[in-house]
Amino acid sequence: MYQKLMTCLSSVKQKIDFKPEVALVLGSGLGDYADGIKVEDTMEYAEIDGFPVSTVKGHKGRFVFGYVGETPVVIMQGRVHYYEGYPMSDVVLPTRLMGLLGAKKLLLTNAAGGVNETFKPGDFMMITDHITIGVPSPLIGPNIEELGTRFPDMSEVYSNRLQGVVRECAADCGIDLKEGVYVQFTGPSYETPAEIRLARSWGADAVGMSTACEAMAARHMGLEVCGISCITNLAAGLSRQELNHKEVQETADRVAKSFKELVTKIVTNMA
Ligand code: HPA
């Protein structure tokens, strides 16, 4: 895996000469965020030797390098999901690569179902912690000593400092920010109502199919992490409506403008 990472790294470095400070992963609804920043360079995932390429329709796959305000960023426009069939070590490879390119901080975003009964579609939830019982750890396998220790601490995956920054930025944007625990399941099916009741009894507030594995890999290599979920729908069993990707996409698109404002504010205040 380390060899594969090094191959990807040299493939990127051959084309791109840019040192990011912040890494950003864009979830549903934020796909075009990168089009609004000062772009310096881009690299399609398909151009990178050995890189896992996403198969989901509508998910673009490329790194965008540029500036949000004064902050040099690398943006993952489109992520790799476990449900596409990649091993977890490939799912987190892009995250690790952004760390190896020099990013010290990571902002993760996603679309998620609301498990907490007080959440409404369109709310934003700052991730305060996560549960990954439902998915294999990306750290399983020989430990990559060059990245981090065999048994990394996960008692503060989402940095308390950055949580403070996110709270302030949301207040500045006039956003009524929710906070809570994100649980990652494999997907690709949405959950059953029984699974959502289980997740709630575990202490989860939102559910999705990404993010926690990336946060874990990033913490393993010492990045400072924060995350925000856009609550696009009530989780299974909480409404009479059937869940579908269209509803998720529509809610994400509806609140995309304020999500982008929030992300910009956070990135410019993260340093
Ligand atoms: N479940 C899992 N993933 C999701 C959901 C959901 O309800 N909404 C958006 N992503």
Side-chain angles (χ1 to χ4, degrees), residues 111-114 182 189-191 196 207-209 230 232-236 243 248:
Y182 177 90
S189 64
Y190 291 110
E191 301 69 31
I196 294 304
V207 59
M209 307 175 191
C230 172
T232 51
N233 58 282
L234 302 181
L243 301 192
V248 167

Side-chain angles (χ1 to χ4, degrees), residues 20-68:
E21 167 74 25
V22 171
L24 186 49
V25 181
L26 301 176
S28 301
L30 284 182
D32 64 354
Y33 178 78
D35 301 336
I37 75 161
K38 185 167 166 284
V39 177
E40 293 284 313
D41 220 330
T42 63
M43 190 159 188
E44 299 292 322
Y45 296 156
E47 289 177 80
I48 305 173
D49 294 334
F51 199 91
V53 179
S54 177
T55 55
V56 184
K57 227 176 77 192
H59 285 218
K60 275 187 207 163
R62 59 178 191 163
F63 283 124
V64 177
F65 299 84
Y67 291 88
V68 173

